[in-house]
C-alpha cells in the first residue's frame, strides 16, 4: 500500500487456500461480485493525484449504495495490482432498473409457439440441447417499477437480475459517478472512462462466471461460459446452430444480435456459393468450346498476328498467342453463366436483406426490444455529452428544459473538413499504385524477354501483364493495411470532436465515416481495373499518358482477352488476403498477448490465481470491438456483391471464411477477452443502411462490369451482326476485334528500341501491327477513327446496362414489396402480449386498490366499483400506451 493511503474498502487478510479459484463472490461467499476495478501504486508525482481521485470516486460509489471490497496487492500474483470488487445490493439494483426501464418478467408466457415438426425432425443433427438453446423460460415482461415489487416474479432478489443486467447497471453508475469534492464541482471530473484514460485505474470489467474449460464447482454459479465454450466456441461445432439465447443472456443483446446477423449472413451465403460454383463448373465444361481462345492459341492464327508494343521504348512487338493461357483462364469467368450469376446476385442480396429484417423483427420480440429505440435515445446519454453540454433548450412538446450544445454544428463542420486530407492520401496512394503498374510493366517486359514468343521468368504461365498485376495487387494490399491503421484513429478522433448525444448516435456517426474511408481504401484498386484500365489508352501513334502527357507513363492496356481476369486476380488477392490477415489478427494476436500476460501465474501454480486475476490477464474488449467485427463482414459483403460478375467463386470463399469466422469470434469472446459490459441493441444499426446502399450499387457495378470489363457484349454483337457467312459463328472474332496500324507511322518516342524487338521481327517484312480497338485501317479516308462497329457495340453495352438494371431493380422492389418486414405471426404476438400486459396490470392495480380501501375502511368497501374500475383502467392504459 502506498504511503499515506487510507485503509482500503473491505480490506482484510484471508486464507488463500480457503477461497475457490473460481469464486465470483465477496469473502463472505454471499455477495456476488458485479464489477472489478484494478489499479497499481504510482510513485511518480501523479501518484498522489491518482490516490486522491480514487478516494473521492470510491467514496461517491459508497454514497450511491454500492458495496466495495479490496484485494491488497500482496494477494495478487504480480504483487503490484490492487483489485476493487463491487457488489450491487438490491435497493440500488431496483432503483436503477426503474430508472433504465429494464424489462423484467411478471408472468410465464402462455402463448403457444408454432413449430413445424417436419422441419424440427430434419434439423435435429444441427440442433443443440434445449437447455442450451433456451436457458430460461419465456416470460411476459414489463418495465421494472420499484413501487410494484409484488407484481413481478421475484423468487430470490439476489438472482432476480441476471449478471449481465447487474453489470450493465453498475457500469451505468460508474460512467456517471464524479470524483470531485462537493466544494469543487468540476463537471469534467466524472466517470470511469476518464479515470481509465488518466491511469487512475488500469482496468474495469465484469467477471466471467467460471473457467471456460471446466464448469464451476459452486452450485450457485451458472457456468454459462463453460456451456458457451462447449457448445459454441469449438470449431468442430461449426455445423451446429448458435445458442443465441444463451449468448444474449451472457453477453447482452448487442453482441447477441451481431452473432445472429453473422449466422444468418453465413446461412444465406450457402445459396449464393452453390449457384456461383455451378456457374464456375459451367465455365469448365465449356472450356473446349471457346472458339476465340482456340484462335488465339492456334499457331496459324494467333501465332501469325503481330501485336503493337504495350509500352514506349522498352517493349517490343509480340505475337498474340503469347496470351494463350490467360485467354483460357479468362473464359472460366467471362461466359454466359457469369451474366446469369450477376442477375442472380442482384436478387439474392434483396432476399438476404428482406429475410434479415424478418429475422431481426422476431429477435426484437423474443428479446423484449420492440420499444427499445426511444429508451435508448432518452436514457443512454453519453457521459462526454453530459459533461460538455452547457446549454439548455426548451422542449416544445414537454416544455421541459433539455441539455443542448449550440456549437455542435461548427464542430461537426470542422471535423468533416479534416477528412479532406485523409481522402487525398487515399487518392495519392491509389495513383501511386497505378504509376507503379505503368512503370514496372516495361521493366518486367525487358527482364522476361527471350527468343521465343513466350515471355517467362519462372514458368511459361507468367507474362509481364500477370506479373505486374499480381505484384501491384500485393503492394496495394499492404498499403490498404497500413492506411487502415491511420483511418481508424482519424475516424474516431473526428467523431469524438462532434460530441454525439447518445451511444447510438456515436456509433452511427463513426460507422458512416469509417465505412466511407474503408470503401475507398479497399475498393479503389478494383474500381480502377474494372472501369478505367484499358478504357482511355488512345491508339498507336496517339497514346494517352498519365497526368495529361506531363509524364512518360502510358496508360495501361488490357490483354486481348479483356481486363476481367485481371480484375479477378485483384479481387482474389485483396479479399483472400484480408480474410487471412483478419483471422490471424483476431485469433493469434490476443492469444499471444494472453499467453505472455499470464506467464507468471503459470510459473507459480501453488498460488491462488483468482477469478479476477484470470480475467485481468485477458484482453480488454473495447467499446468499439463489435464495430470492427461488423466492418470486416460488411467490407467482405461489398467484395462478393460489387464485383461478383468477375469472380463467381467469391461467395464460396466468403462462406468458407465465415464458417471459420463464427467459431473464431466465439472462441475469442469466450476464452481470450474479458467479459464485455452487457449492452442493448434492437438492430444492427447504421450497418443496415450501408448494406442497402451496397446492394443497390452492386447492380450498377455488375452491369458495367459485364458491359465494359468483360468481352461478352462485343462477342454477342459479332455473333449476331458481324459474323462471316450466313449462319452465326464466332470464327474470325479475334481478327475482327483487332485493328491495324502501319508500323512506319510510329513516332520516334513510341517506337521500341532495336534491342527490345524479338529475333523473329523484321520491319521490312512485317509492316503492320494489331491493337485492341475498333478503328478504321490505314489508307481508309477516316483512318484510325472509330468504326461503325465500335458505335454498335457501345450502343449494345448501354442497352444491356439499362435493361439489366431495370430488370433487376423491378424484381428487387417487387420482392421487397412482397415480403413484409415483420412476420404476421410476430405482429399478432406483439399485440396479444400488449393486451395481456394491460389486462394483468389493470387487475393488479384494482386488487391493490381494493386491499388499500379494505384496510383504510376496516374491511368495509363502500364505494362505486365502476368508478374505481374506470379510473384504474384509464391510469393503466395511459402508462402502457
Amino acid at each position: 500500500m502506498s504511503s499515506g493511503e487510507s485503509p482500503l474498502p473491505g480490506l482484510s487478510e484471508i486464507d488463500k487456500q480457503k477461497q475457490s479459484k473460481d469464486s465470483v463472490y465477496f469473502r463472505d461467499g454471499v455477495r456476488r461480485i458485479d464489477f472489478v476495478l484494478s489499479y497499481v501504486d504510482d510513485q511518480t508525482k501523479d501518484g498522489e493525484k491518482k490516490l486522491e481521485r480514487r478516494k473521492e470516486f470510491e467514496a461517491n460509489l459508497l454514497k450511491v449504495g454500492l458495496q466495495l471490497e479490496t484485494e491488497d496487492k500482496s494477494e495478487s500474483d504480480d504483487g503490484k495490482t490492487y483489485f476493487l470488487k463491487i457488489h450491487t445490493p438490491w435497493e440500488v439494483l431496483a432503483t436503477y432498473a426503474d430508472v433504465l426501464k429494464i424489462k423484467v418478467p411478471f408472468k410465464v408466457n402462455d402463448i403457444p409457439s408454432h413449430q413445424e415438426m417436419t422441419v424440427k425432425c430434419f434439423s435435429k443433427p444441427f440442433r443443440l440441447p434445449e437447455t442450451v438453446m433456451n436457458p430460461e423460460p419465456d416470460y411476459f415482461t414489463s418495465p421494472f417499477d420499484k413501487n410494484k415489487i409484488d407484481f413481478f416474479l421475484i423468487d430470490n432478489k439476489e438472482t432476480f437480475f441476471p449478471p449481465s443486467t447487474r453489470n450493465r447497471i453498475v457500469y451505468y453508475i460508474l460512467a456517471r459517478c464524479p470524483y470531485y469534492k462537493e466544494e469543487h464541482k468540476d463537471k469534467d471530473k466524472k466517470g470511469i472512462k476518464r479515470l481509465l484514460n488518466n491511469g487512475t485505474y488500469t482496468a474495469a470489467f465484469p467477471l466471467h462466471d467460471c473457467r471456460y474449460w471446466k464448469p464451476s464447482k459452486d452450485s450457485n454459479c451458472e457456468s454459462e461460459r463453460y456451456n458457451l465454450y462447449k457448445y459454441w466456441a469449438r470449431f468442430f461445432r461449426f455445423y451446429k446452430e448458435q445458442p443465441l439465447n444463451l449468448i444474449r443472456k451472457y453477453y447482452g443483446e448487442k453482441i447477441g444480435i451481431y452473432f445472429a446477423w453473422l449466422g444468418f449472413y453465413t446461412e444465406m451465403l450457402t445459396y449464393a456459393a452453390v449457384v456461383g460454383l455451378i456457374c464456375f463448373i459451367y465455365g469448365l465444361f465449356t472450356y473446349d468450346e471457346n472458339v476465340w481462345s482456340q484462335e488465339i492459341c492456334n499457331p496459324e492464327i494467333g501465332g501469325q498476328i503481330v501485336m503493337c508494343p504495350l509500352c514506349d521504348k522498352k517493349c517490343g512487338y509480340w505475337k498474340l498467342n503469347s496470351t494463350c493461357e490467360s485467354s483460357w483462364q479468362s473464359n472460366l469467368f467471362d461466359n454466359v453463366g457469369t451474366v446469369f450469376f450477376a442477375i442472380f446476385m442482384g436478387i439474392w442480396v434483396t432476399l438476404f436483406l428482406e429475410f434479415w429484417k424478418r429475422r431481426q423483427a422476431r429477435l426484437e420480440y423474443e428479446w423484449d426490444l420492440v420499444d427499445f429505440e426511444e429508451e435508448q435515445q432518452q436514457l443512454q446519454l453519453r457521459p462526454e455529452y453530459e459533461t460538455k453540454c452547457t446549454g439548455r433548450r426548451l422542449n416544445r412538446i414537454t416544455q421541459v428544459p433539455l441539455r443542448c450544445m449550440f456549437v455542435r454544428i461548427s464542430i461537426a463542420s470542422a471535423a468533416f473538413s479534416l477528412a479532406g486530407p485523409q481522402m487525398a492520401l487515399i487518392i495519392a496512394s491509389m495513383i501511386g499504385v497505378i504509376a507503379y503498374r505503368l512503370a514496372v510493366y516495361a521493366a518486367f517486359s525487358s527482364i522476361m524477354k527471350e527468343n521465343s514468343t513466350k515471355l517467362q521468368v519462372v514458368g511459361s504461365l507468367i507474362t509481364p501483364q500477370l506479373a505486374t498485376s499480381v505484384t501491384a495487387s500485393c503492394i496495394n494490399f499492404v498499403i490498404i493495411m497500413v492506411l487502415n491503421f491511420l483511418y481508424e484513429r482519424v475516424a474516431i478522433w473526428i467523431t469524438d470532436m462532434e460530441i454525439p448525444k447518445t451511444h447510438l448516435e456515436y456509433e452511427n456517426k463513426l460507422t458512416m465515416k469509417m465505412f466511407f474511408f474503408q470503401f475507398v481504401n479497399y475498393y479503389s484498386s478494383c474500381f480502377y481495373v474494372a472501369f478505367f484500365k484499358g478504357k482511355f489508352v488512345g491508339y498507336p501513334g496517339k497514346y494517352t499518358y498519365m497526368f495529361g502527357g506531363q509524364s512518360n507513363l502510358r496508360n495501361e492496356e488490357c490483354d486481348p482477352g479483356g481486363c476481367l481476369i485481371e480484375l479477378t486476380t485483384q479481387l482474389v488477392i485483396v479479399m483472400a488476403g484480408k480474410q487471412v490477415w483478419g483471422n490471424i489478427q483476431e485469433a493469434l494476436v490476443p492469444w499471444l498477448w494472453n499467453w505472455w500476460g499470464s506467464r507468471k501465474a503459470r510459473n507459480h501454480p501453488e498460488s491462488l490465481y483468482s477469478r479476477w486475476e484470470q480475467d485481468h490477464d485477458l484482453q480488454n474488449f473495447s467499446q468499439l470491438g463489435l464495430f470492427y467485427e461488423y466492418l470486416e463482414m460488411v467490407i467482405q459483403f461489398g467484395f462478393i456483391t460489387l464485383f461478383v460478375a468477375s469472380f463467381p467463386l467469391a461467395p464460396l470463399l466468403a462462406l468458407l471464411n465465415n464458417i471459420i469466422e463464427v467459431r473464431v469470434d466465439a472462441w475469442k469472446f469466450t476464452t481470450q477477452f474479458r467479459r464485455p459490459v452487457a449492452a442493448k441493441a434492437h438492430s444492427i444499426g447504421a450497418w443496415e443502411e450501408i448494406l442497402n446502399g451496397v446492394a443497390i450499387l452492386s447492380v450498377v457495378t455488375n452491369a458495367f462490369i459485364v458491359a465494359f470489363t468483360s468481352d461478352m457484349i462485343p462477342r454477342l454483337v459479332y455473333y449476331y451482326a458481324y459474323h462471316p457467312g450466313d449462319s452465326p459463328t464466332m470464327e474470325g472474332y479475334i481478327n475482327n476485334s483487332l485493328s491495324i496500324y502501319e508500323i512506319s507511322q510510329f513516332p520516334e518516342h513510341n517506337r521500341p528500341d532495336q534491342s527490345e524487338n524479338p529475333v523473329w521481327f523484321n520491319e521490312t517484312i512485317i509492316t503492320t501491327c494489331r491493337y485492341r480497338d475498333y478503328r478504321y485501317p490505314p489508307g481508309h479516308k477516316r483512318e484510325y477513327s472509330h468504326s461503325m462497329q465500335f458505335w454498335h457495340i457501345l450502343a449494345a453495352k448501354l442497352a444491356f446496362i439499362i435493361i439489366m438494371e431495370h430488370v433487376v431493380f423491378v424484381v428487387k422492389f417487387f420482392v421487397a414489396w412482397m415480403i413484409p418486414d415483420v412476420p404476421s405471426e410476430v405482429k399478432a404476438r406483439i399485440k396479444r402480449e400488449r393486451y395481456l400486459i394491460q389486462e394483468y396490470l389493470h387487475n393488479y392495480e384494482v386488487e391493490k386498490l381494493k386491499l388499500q380501501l379494505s384496510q383504510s375502511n376496516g374491511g368495509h368497501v363502500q364505494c362505486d366499483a365502476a368508478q374505481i374500475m374506470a379510473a384504474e383502467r384509464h391510469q393503466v392504459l395511459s402508462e402502457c400506451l
Side-chain angles (χ1 to χ4, degrees):
M1 190 179 298
S2 60
S3 61
E5 187 168 349
S6 60
L8 302 171
L11 182 63
S12 63
E13 294 296 327
I14 62 169
D15 182 359
K16 297 181 77 174
Q17 301 303 322
K18 290 183 179 179
Q19 191 176 22
S20 168
K21 288 185 178 183
D22 279 325
S23 174
V24 291
Y25 293 92
F26 276 19
R27 297 187 190 97
D28 57 18
V30 177
R31 292 173 293 171
R32 188 180 185 111
I33 302 171
D34 297 316
F35 225 87
V36 174
L37 306 181
S38 67
Y39 59 92
V40 294
D41 279 337
D42 191 344
Q43 304 301 328
T44 64
K45 293 181 180 180
D46 291 335
E48 293 299 323
K49 291 183 179 179
K50 292 178 181 178
L51 173 61
E52 189 66 26
R53 293 190 200 115
R54 281 196 296 269
K55 287 173 59 178
E56 294 300 327
F57 187 69
E58 291 167 15
N60 288 327
L61 291 179
L62 290 171
K63 290 177 183 178
V64 171
L66 298 180
Q67 297 176 4
L68 311 179
E69 185 177 79
T70 303
E71 293 289 331
D72 188 66
K73 65 180 180 180
S74 61
E75 303 295 334
S76 65
D77 187 70
D78 61 4
K80 300 177 182 178
T81 307
Y82 294 89
F83 291 96
L84 178 67
K85 299 175 288 186
I86 301 175
H87 170 75
T88 318
W90 169 257
E91 279 300 316
V92 178
L93 288 172
T95 300
Y96 281 91
D98 195 348
V99 169
L100 296 173
K101 301 300 179 187
I102 293 174
K103 289 186 176 182
V104 294
F106 67 89
K107 186 181 185 301
V108 176
N109 191 338
D110 56 4
I111 301 177
S113 60
H114 302 285
Q115 294 183 348
E116 297 183 15
M117 295 303 297
T118 306
V119 176
K120 192 172 182 180
C121 180
F122 280 113
S123 63
K124 189 174 181 179
F126 308 102
R127 295 187 65 82
L128 294 173
E130 187 65 22
T131 54
V132 177
M133 288 302 299
N134 299 296
E136 55 187 3
D138 189 16
Y139 293 104
F140 289 132
T141 59
S142 178
F144 186 80
D145 189 337
K146 194 176 179 181
N147 298 320
K148 300 176 182 177
I149 296 294
D150 53 341
F151 175 71
F152 303 102
L153 296 177
I154 305 178
D155 295 329
N156 185 346
K157 289 183 178 180
E158 291 301 318
T159 60
F160 179 66
F161 292 106
S164 58
T165 302
R166 296 173 71 100
N167 71 57
R168 179 185 164 208
I169 290 174
V170 175
Y171 188 75
Y172 183 87
I173 297 171
L174 294 175
R176 287 156 178 78
C177 184
Y179 54 91
Y180 51 74
K181 294 183 179 179
E182 286 296 326
E183 62 271 18
H184 303 292
K185 290 193 175 182
D186 188 343
K187 288 186 177 181
D188 282 340
K189 293 184 176 181
K190 179 188 290 187
I192 187 64
K193 188 174 180 180
R194 289 181 63 89
L195 291 173
L196 290 170
N197 289 339
N198 60 32
T200 304
Y201 290 99
T202 56
F205 53 93
L207 290 180
H208 284 295
D209 60 0
C210 67
R211 285 172 286 186
Y212 67 85
W213 65 88
K214 60 187 295 187
S216 174
K217 296 179 181 178
D218 190 341
S219 59
N220 294 323
C221 189
E222 302 86 351
S223 296
E224 291 173 347
R225 184 190 188 193
Y226 168 73
N227 286 331
L228 285 170
Y229 176 74
K230 180 180 179 181
Y231 294 104
W232 178 50
R234 291 179 175 176
F235 176 74
F236 292 107
R237 295 274 180 175
F238 70 90
Y239 63 94
K240 294 284 189 179
E241 60 184 338
Q242 297 186 85
L244 294 177
N245 288 325
L246 184 58
I247 297 170
R248 172 243 184 172
K249 184 178 180 226
Y250 192 74
Y251 290 114
E253 287 80 1
K254 191 171 184 179
I255 291 177
I257 206 93
Y258 163 72
F259 280 103
W261 177 82
L262 179 58
F264 183 80
Y265 171 46
T266 304
E267 181 183 337
M268 289 295 292
L269 272 176
T270 306
Y271 306 105
V274 169
V275 177
L277 183 61
I278 292 172
C279 292
F280 179 75
I281 293 173
Y282 170 81
L284 286 175
F285 277 109
T286 58
Y287 196 78
D288 295 331
E289 301 174 9
N290 184 358
V291 176
W292 50 93
S293 292
Q294 293 175 4
E295 291 185 348
I296 290 176
C297 298
N298 191 333
E300 301 300 323
I301 302 177
Q304 300 301 317
I305 297 178
V306 177
M307 302 296 294
C308 297
L310 293 174
C311 63
D312 296 339
K313 295 294 185 180
K314 295 299 180 181
C315 296
Y317 298 95
W318 52 285
K319 290 187 177 181
L320 181 60
N321 63 352
S322 65
T323 62
C324 176
E325 294 296 335
S326 64
S327 172
W328 285 112
Q329 295 164 6
S330 179
N331 184 62
L332 291 175
F333 308 109
D334 191 1
N335 53 61
V336 178
T338 303
V339 180
F340 164 78
F341 189 59
I343 297 173
F344 168 81
M345 286 300 293
I347 299 171
W348 172 88
V349 74
T350 304
L351 292 172
F352 163 63
L353 293 174
E354 292 302 317
F355 282 128
W356 166 246
K357 290 177 185 176
R358 292 169 64 83
R359 175 72 173 130
Q360 185 172 262
R362 193 177 295 277
L363 287 175
E364 283 184 38
Y365 166 72
E366 293 174 355
W367 292 355
D368 297 319
L369 300 170
V370 174
D371 302 317
F372 173 69
E373 186 171 10
E374 185 176 352
E375 300 169 14
Q376 172 82 7
Q377 291 290 344
Q378 293 178 354
L379 300 173
Q380 302 297 314
L381 292 179
R382 296 175 67 240
E384 294 85 353
Y385 177 84
E386 292 178 327
T387 56
K388 295 181 181 180
C389 180
T390 56
R392 294 279 176 174
R393 184 172 56 191
L394 193 67
N395 188 308
R396 296 181 180 180
I397 299 174
T398 63
Q399 296 298 304
V400 176
L402 298 176
R403 296 174 184 268
C404 65
M405 199 160 188
F406 300 114
V407 296
R408 289 179 76 200
I409 296 177
S410 60
I411 291 176
S413 301
F416 270 107
S417 67
L418 295 174
Q422 308 307 317
M423 296 309 302
L425 182 59
I426 297 175
I427 295 171
S429 64
M430 182 176 67
I431 292 174
V433 173
I434 295 172
Y436 165 84
R437 301 171 73 104
L438 301 179
V440 169
Y441 178 80
F444 275 124
S445 297
S446 180
I447 293 172
M448 299 165 68
K449 179 171 64 69
E450 285 193 4
N451 294 335
S452 65
T453 57
K454 294 281 187 179
L455 302 175
Q456 48 186 309
V457 61
V458 291
S460 60
L461 300 180
I462 305 298
T463 62
Q465 294 95 329
L466 182 60
T468 303
S469 177
V470 170
T471 55
S473 299
C474 293
I475 292 173
N476 184 66
F477 174 72
V478 173
I479 292 174
I480 286 172
M481 293 296 105
V482 173
L483 291 181
N484 274 350
F485 182 80
L486 174 64
Y487 296 152
E488 289 175 7
R489 282 145 186 79
V490 171
I492 293 172
W493 178 55
I494 293 175
T495 308
D496 287 340
M497 286 183 62
E498 295 178 14
I499 317 175
K501 185 175 182 180
T502 65
H503 292 290
L504 180 64
E505 185 180 347
Y506 180 89
E507 290 185 6
N508 288 345
K509 285 178 177 291
L510 180 61
T511 297
M512 298 307 294
K513 292 182 185 65
M514 196 69 164
F515 180 76
F516 179 66
F517 283 143
Q518 302 287 35
F519 183 92
V520 179
N521 195 23
Y522 276 106
Y523 303 142
S524 58
S525 58
C526 291
F527 272 99
Y528 164 73
V529 174
F531 306 122
F532 296 97
K533 183 182 177 182
K535 307 301 186 294
F536 311 100
V537 297
Y539 60 91
K542 199 173 182 180
Y543 287 116
T544 304
Y545 290 82
M546 196 175 181
F547 306 119
Q550 299 301 314
S551 69
N552 60 351
L553 299 176
R554 206 170 90 189
N555 286 354
E556 282 186 285
E557 296 183 41
C558 292
D559 284 338
C563 277
L564 193 70
I565 190 64
E566 187 169 341
L567 177 59
T568 303
T569 304
Q570 179 78 31
L571 182 64
V572 170
I573 289 176
V574 176
M575 180 181 172
K578 182 186 182 302
Q579 292 179 348
V580 171
W581 176 253
N583 284 326
I584 291 174
Q585 228 176 0
E586 289 183 14
L588 187 61
V589 173
W591 181 82
L592 288 174
W593 276 111
N594 292 335
W595 176 83
W596 180 257
S598 61
R599 66 192 184 283
K600 288 188 177 180
R602 293 194 305 274
N603 293 333
H604 301 86
E606 72 280 358
S607 67
L608 173 63
Y609 194 31
S610 62
R611 163 63 32 219
W612 44 89
E613 288 178 278
Q614 292 177 45
D615 287 6
H616 180 263
D617 288 340
L618 297 178
Q619 292 298 296
N620 178 49
F621 187 76
S622 68
Q623 186 179 0
L624 297 175
L626 209 57
F627 166 82
Y628 296 118
E629 302 293 341
Y630 274 118
L631 181 63
E632 179 185 3
M633 288 296 101
V634 172
I635 293 294
Q636 181 203 84
F637 180 81
F639 279 123
I640 69 164
T641 54
L642 293 173
F643 308 103
V644 75
S646 67
F647 188 47
L649 294 180
L652 180 60
L653 288 182
L655 174 63
L656 297 176
N657 173 80
N658 287 9
I659 290 173
I660 299 173
E661 179 77 21
V662 171
R663 303 303 157 177
V664 167
D665 284 350
W667 173 81
K668 182 176 61 178
F669 271 92
T670 310
T671 67
Q672 302 303 308
F673 281 113
R674 297 170 188 160
R675 186 174 184 171
V677 178
K680 281 186 173 288
H682 75 292
S683 68
I684 61 175
W687 296 111
E688 192 167 331
E689 295 302 319
I690 290 174
L691 291 173
N692 278 312
V694 172
I696 293 173
L697 180 61
S698 68
V699 178
V700 180
T701 56
N702 284 304
F704 272 83
I705 287 173
V706 173
F708 286 97
T709 309
S710 80
D711 259 10
M712 180 64 60
I713 303 302
R715 289 200 295 262
L716 290 175
V717 171
Y718 176 82
Y719 184 78
Y720 288 107
Y722 287 88
H723 61 84
D726 297 330
S727 59
T729 179
M730 289 303 298
E731 292 181 2
Y733 168 73
I734 288 298
N735 186 63
N736 176 267
S737 64
L738 299 174
S739 298
I740 303 172
Y741 185 77
E742 187 72 40
I743 292 177
S744 60
Q745 297 180 8
F746 261 122
E748 187 59 33
H749 65 276
N750 291 144
R751 191 182 297 273
D753 296 336
Q754 287 296 328
S755 61
E756 299 297 334
N757 288 327
V759 294
W760 51 260
F761 179 78
N762 188 334
E763 193 168 350
T764 59
I765 299 174
I766 303 173
T767 58
T768 61
C769 63
R770 310 294 292 273
Y771 60 98
R772 179 184 165 86
D773 207 342
Y774 293 92
R775 295 178 181 272
Y776 290 113
H780 193 278
K781 62 179 180 179
R782 298 179 59 190
E783 68 174 6
Y784 304 135
S785 62
H786 282 125
S787 65
M788 187 57 65
Q789 186 175 354
F790 169 85
W791 300 109
H792 287 166
I793 292 173
L794 180 61
K797 290 179 176 180
L798 296 177
F800 172 82
I801 291 172
I802 294 171
I803 293 171
M804 178 179 168
E805 286 182 357
H806 280 69
V807 169
V808 175
F809 279 132
V810 167
V811 174
K812 279 171 64 71
F813 291 126
F814 178 74
V815 169
W817 174 75
M818 284 288 293
I819 302 175
D821 292 347
V822 182
S824 57
E825 176 199 351
V826 172
K827 286 182 181 178
R829 291 171 72 88
I830 291 173
K831 291 178 181 178
R832 171 69 175 162
E833 183 169 325
R834 284 177 174 170
Y835 168 77
L836 291 175
I837 290 173
Q838 292 175 8
E839 185 179 10
Y840 290 134
L841 278 172
H842 168 257
N843 294 337
Y844 168 80
E845 292 290 350
V846 170
E847 292 299 325
K848 186 176 179 181
L849 180 59
K850 285 181 180 179
L851 181 62
Q852 291 174 352
L853 290 175
S854 64
Q855 291 174 351
S856 62
N857 295 331
H860 300 286
V861 182
Q862 302 292 335
C863 60
D864 190 346
Q867 292 181 359
I868 296 174
M869 295 282 286
E872 291 301 319
R873 180 175 289 277
H874 175 74
Q875 180 182 353
V876 173
L877 289 176
S878 298
E879 291 179 3
C880 292
L881 300 177

